[in-house]
Every structure is written in C-alpha cells, then in structure tokens.
Amino acid sequence: MNLFKTLLISCLAATQTAMAQQSENTQKSMYLELFGASNIVGVNYDSRLKPNSPWGYRVGLGYTYSKNYGLLSGSNSIRGVDVPIEANYLLGKKRSKLELGLGVNLGYYKEKYDKWDLKEVKKEDGFTYYEGVYAGEDSRSLWGYYCFGNIGYRYQPSHGFQFRAGISPSFNLGGKHAVSKSVFPYISFGYVF
C-alpha cells in the first residue's frame, strides 16, 4: 500500500506543479483514446509545459472492463475507472511528430467472480473423490496501478484536429496492488486549442 500511495502522491504533485507553470499561450488538447493506457476508452487532457516546448504531460480518466471464462474456475469480470498520468516528449518540427512518454495508471476496480466448493462424492480404496459445486458469485473492490510507456505517432497542428496512434507497453514495480498488463495499441482523436 505504501508504494501505491507514494506513486499517487508523486503523480498528483507533478501534475499540480506542471499546471502551475503553464502560460496562457501553451498548446493544449483534449482527446478520446481507445485502448492503450486508458484501457478500453478514456478522455485525456494534454498540454505542453511552455509555449513551443516538446515536453508535456497528460492526465485522463479511463474505463476498463474484461471478462474471462475458465473451464475449471467459472467466470471472472473486472470493471473500473482509472487515471493515466504521463510525462511526454514530442520529437519533430512539423505537424507529424514522434511521441514518447512514461507514466502511471492508477485505478479502482470491482471484481466479480464465481465461487466453487468441493463436495465429497465417495470414498473408495483409501481415496476420497470430490466434485466442484457452484457456490454463487462474490465480489471485491481493488486498488491497482501499472506503469506504462508510450511510443507513437502524433499529428499535432497548432489548432484543430489531433490524431494519435501507437503502442503502450506496460510494467509494474511489484506489490499487492500491481496490475499485470502487456503491450496494447492505442488510437485517439482530439482537438488542439
């Protein structure tokens, strides 16, 4: 829990500092992201730290949902909201840019899963035989985090339509709140103002 709290406080402090340093002429954008660090879908705010700076950040709100079926374990579903926070760098002089970033995704999830009990069927020749019996559905709430990278293409005019596409590899630093995720592609559409 201490690692999770430290990551959360550090990311919020960095975001506050970055927002306080912005000027009126700093390029900003809002975009809808599908997959990637936003998981299923997310809305993000992105800004450069100074006018014409390649350095920037993004803060978003995402939604995740997944459902798994196991032959022996039944079904398991997770849904929740998450907050991707990222520092990024844009490389390129024109509208087409290489976007590189590093961030953390903090989430609150609700997991629902099937419970199974073992019922003794018979005892024979010193062996006890059991069968699985469905015992209902249970749920629990979870806090989680994962760190992510961002490697992609960004179409970034001075004003107007914005487009992003790339991949978002992820990793975690361990602990009971660590979420395992792999490399996910992303695509986003937004508006620069």
Side-chain angles (χ1 to χ4, degrees):
M1 184 69 170
N2 289 337
L3 176 62
F4 183 73
K5 285 181 184 177
T6 302
L7 282 171
L8 177 62
I9 291 168
S10 298
C11 289
L12 292 175
T15 301
Q16 284 290 76
T17 302
M19 287 176 131
Q21 293 176 350
Q22 281 187 355
S23 77
E24 293 278 328
N25 298 325
T26 304
Q27 195 175 48
K28 303 167 197 68
S29 66
M30 292 286 293
Y31 56 84
L32 177 72
E33 181 177 57
L34 302 173
F35 306 112
S38 293
N39 289 317
I40 300 290
V41 64
V43 176
N44 292 269
Y45 171 81
D46 183 279
S47 179
R48 302 297 88 206
L49 293 178
K50 297 179 193 173
N52 301 318
S53 172
W55 289 100
Y57 69 92
R58 71 125 165 219
V59 178
L61 183 63
Y63 173 76
T64 188
Y65 175 78
S66 70
K67 188 159 189 149
N68 300 313
Y69 295 97
L71 182 61
L72 301 175
S73 62
S75 69
N76 176 356
S77 68
I78 294 178
R79 67 179 68 215
V81 294
D82 49 72
V83 178
I85 302 169
E86 172 191 307
N88 55 48
Y89 185 82
L90 300 179
L91 189 61
K93 296 192 183 279
K94 302 281 183 186
R95 295 176 180 177
S96 292
K97 301 185 184 293
L98 172 65
E99 179 180 9
L100 302 171
L102 190 61
V104 65
N105 185 308
L106 309 169
Y108 178 73
Y109 309 102
K110 183 84 165 188
E111 179 183 27
K112 290 184 180 179
Y113 53 92
D114 290 340
K115 289 189 338 182
W116 294 85
D117 289 333
L118 292 177
K119 177 183 170 188
E120 186 177 319
V121 178
K122 67 179 176 178
K123 289 185 180 184
E124 184 177 292
D125 298 327
F127 291 102
T128 304
Y129 297 91
Y130 296 93
E131 72 178 1
V133 177
Y134 179 71
E137 187 177 79
D138 204 355
S139 66
R140 64 182 176 160
S141 297
L142 308 163
W143 287 99
Y145 84 93
Y146 63 88
C147 302
F148 63 91
N150 178 9
I151 304 164
Y153 168 80
R154 182 191 284 209
Y155 175 76
Q156 177 94 6
S158 59
H159 288 81
F161 175 76
Q162 178 190 57
F163 173 78
R164 297 170 61 251
I167 59 170
S168 182
S170 68
F171 60 96
N172 63 56
L173 304 173
K176 75 176 191 175
H177 297 287
V179 174
S180 293
K181 197 177 164 196
S182 62
V183 177
F184 276 88
Y186 66 84
I187 188 168
S188 76
F189 307 95
Y191 188 79
V192 180
F193 52 95

